[in-house]
C-alpha cells in the first residue's frame, strides 16, 4: 500500500469563469479574504469561451479547483452541466456559484438574491418590505433574482417594467399575482407610492446608455438602489438622493453574493465590511 500521510496537499483553487473576464472584480474580492484569513488558496480569473465550457468544468476538479463563480455568458448554460441544482438556481434559471464536491459532482447555486437582500439590510437597516409597493426596472437575470428576493421578504405588490414587455410578463407568469407589469413608456408613473425602487438594468453603467426614466414620482424617504456599481453613484442614484431618497449602491450586492461561495470553498464565512469595499474599489 502507498503511504498517503506524506502525499502533497495542494492549496485549494477557486476562480471566476466568463467570456470576457478581465473586468471582473471577483479576484480582488476573494484575494482580500484569502489574505485576511491567511488561507493558502488562490482565486483566479478564467476566460472560457462558450464552446469550451463543458470541457473546462470537467477538468477543473482534477486541477485542484474546489469551485468557481460564473458570470456572463455562462450563468444559464452551467445548469445543464451541473449534477445538483438548488431550488433558487432553478427558479432563477441561472447559477453564479459552483461547488465541486468530493464525490465529483457539480453543485450549482444562485446567491444573487441573497446578495441583494444582504446589501439592503446592511445599508438600510430600517427598511421594511411590507410598507408599500416595490418597483423594479428591468426583467433580465439580475431582475429575476431581485424579484424573488423581494417577494420572499414580504413585499405585497411588485411593479415591474422592461423595454421588452414580454420578459416582464414571463416573470409575472412565474412569480404570481403580486407582480404587476407596467409598460416601459409608463415606468416613471409606476414609481408613485413605491417605497422601494430598483434599477436592475445595465443602463447607467459606464459605456452604456443612461437610464431615461423620469423620477418625478419618487417620494422622499423611498429606498432606491441600483445594481450597477460602475460608477458607484450612478446618475439614477444621484437624482434620487437629491430628491431626498435613501440610496444604496450596487457594490454591496457583489460583495455579499460572494460570501456563501467563499465559505463553501475555503471553510470560513468572511465579513463584508468597509475594508473589503476599499480593497475592491482600489
Amino acid at each position: 500500500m502507498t503511504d498517503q500521510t506524506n502525499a502533497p496537499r495542494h492549496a485549494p483553487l477557486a476562480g471566476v469563469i466568463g467570456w470576457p473576464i478581465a473586468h471582473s472584480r471577483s479576484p480582488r474580492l476573494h484575494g482580500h479574504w484569502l489574505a485576511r484569513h491567511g488561507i493558502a488558496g488562490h482565486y483566479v480569473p478564467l476566460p472560457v469561451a462558450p464552446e469550451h465550457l463543458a470541457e473546462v468544468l470537467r477538468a477543473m476538479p482534477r486541477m485542484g479547483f474546489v469551485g468557481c463563480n460564473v458570470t456572463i455568458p455562462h450563468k444559464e448554460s452551467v445548469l445543464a452541466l451541473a449534477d445538483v441544482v438548488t431550488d433558487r438556481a432553478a427558479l432563477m434559471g441561472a447559477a453564479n456559484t459552483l461547488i465541486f464536491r468530493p464525490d465529483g459532482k457539480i453543485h450549482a447555486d444562485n446567491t444573487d438574491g441573497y446578495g441583494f437582500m444582504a446589501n439592503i439590510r446592511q445599508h438600510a437597516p430600517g427598511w421594511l418590505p411590507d410598507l408599500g409597493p416595490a418597483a423594479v426596472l428591468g426583467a433580465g437575470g439580475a431582475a429575476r433574482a431581485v424579484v424573488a428576493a423581494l417577494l420572499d421578504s414580504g413585499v405585497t405588490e411588485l411593479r415591474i417594467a422592461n423595454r421588452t414587455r414580454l420578459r416582464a410578463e414571463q416573470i409575472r407568469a412565474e412569480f404570481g399575482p403580486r407582480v404587476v407589469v407596467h409598460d416601459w413608456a409608463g415606468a416613471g408613473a409606476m414609481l408613485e407610492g413605491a417605497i422601494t425602487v430598483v434599477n436592475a438594468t445595465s443602463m447607467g453603467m459606464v459605456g452604456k446608455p443612461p437610464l431615461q426614466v423620469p423620477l418625478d414620482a419618487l417620494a422622499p424617504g423611498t429606498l432606491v438602489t441600483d445594481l450597477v456599481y460602475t460608477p458607484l453613484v450612478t446618475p439614477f442614484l444621484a437624482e434620487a438622493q437629491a430628491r431626498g431618497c435613501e440610496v444604496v449602491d450596487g457594490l454591496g450586492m457583489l460583495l455579499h453574493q460572494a460570501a456563501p461561495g467563499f465559505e463553501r470553498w475555503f471553510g470560513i464565512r468572511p465579513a463584508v465590511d468597509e475594508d473589503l469595499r476599499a480593497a475592491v474599489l482600489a
Side-chain angles (χ1 to χ4, degrees), residues 28-275:
R28 187 178 298 174
L29 192 172
H30 288 276
H32 174 83
W33 281 334
L34 288 168
R36 170 186 284 179
H37 294 289
I39 297 172
H42 302 281
Y43 185 101
V44 295
L46 298 165
V48 178
E51 63 269 25
H52 299 144
L53 179 62
E55 182 182 4
V56 169
L57 286 182
R58 284 193 295 268
M60 287 175 72
R62 299 196 296 270
M63 297 166 62
F65 281 87
V66 290
C68 67
N69 287 123
V70 184
T71 189
I72 296 171
H74 303 314
K75 296 178 77 168
E76 293 81 21
S77 303
V78 294
L79 290 185
L81 302 170
D83 300 291
V84 180
V85 177
T86 64
D87 289 344
R88 59 186 177 182
L91 182 64
M92 295 301 99
N96 70 339
T97 304
L98 300 181
I99 298 103
F100 301 139
R101 303 196 324 194
D103 62 5
K105 292 185 177 180
I106 298 174
H107 181 280
D109 196 8
N110 190 310
T111 63
D112 283 335
Y114 163 81
F116 172 78
M117 289 305 308
N119 186 35
I120 298 298
R121 299 291 188 192
Q122 182 177 31
H123 295 286
W127 174 74
L128 296 173
D130 58 351
L131 290 184
V136 177
L137 301 164
R144 291 174 64 84
V146 168
V147 167
L150 286 172
L151 292 176
D152 284 346
S153 74
V155 167
T156 55
E157 179 189 341
L158 192 144
R159 305 165 181 172
I160 187 168
N162 190 60
R163 285 177 294 179
T164 304
R165 184 183 171 104
L166 178 60
R167 297 192 72 175
E169 295 283 4
Q170 289 170 337
I171 287 179
R172 185 191 185 283
E174 292 182 45
F175 288 93
R178 282 189 288 165
V179 177
V180 180
V181 177
H182 290 252
D183 286 327
W184 185 254
M190 84 170 182
L191 306 184
E192 185 171 358
I195 65 157
T196 309
V197 177
V198 184
N199 175 34
T201 76
S202 62
M203 288 181 281
M205 184 186 296
V206 172
K208 299 284 187 180
L211 177 65
Q212 295 181 324
V213 172
L215 304 184
D216 303 319
L218 279 180
T222 301
L223 175 68
V224 178
T225 185
D226 197 327
L227 304 195
V228 171
Y229 56 85
T230 52
L232 196 60
V233 179
T234 61
F236 171 67
L237 288 185
E239 183 177 346
Q241 192 166 37
R243 292 177 178 274
C245 298
E246 183 177 15
V247 302
V248 176
D249 67 59
L251 181 62
M253 179 175 171
L254 171 73
L255 307 183
H256 281 286
Q257 62 81 30
F262 187 92
E263 182 178 23
R264 292 291 298 270
W265 303 327
F266 300 111
I268 292 175
R269 183 69 170 200
V272 175
D273 54 20
E274 288 304 314
D275 285 345

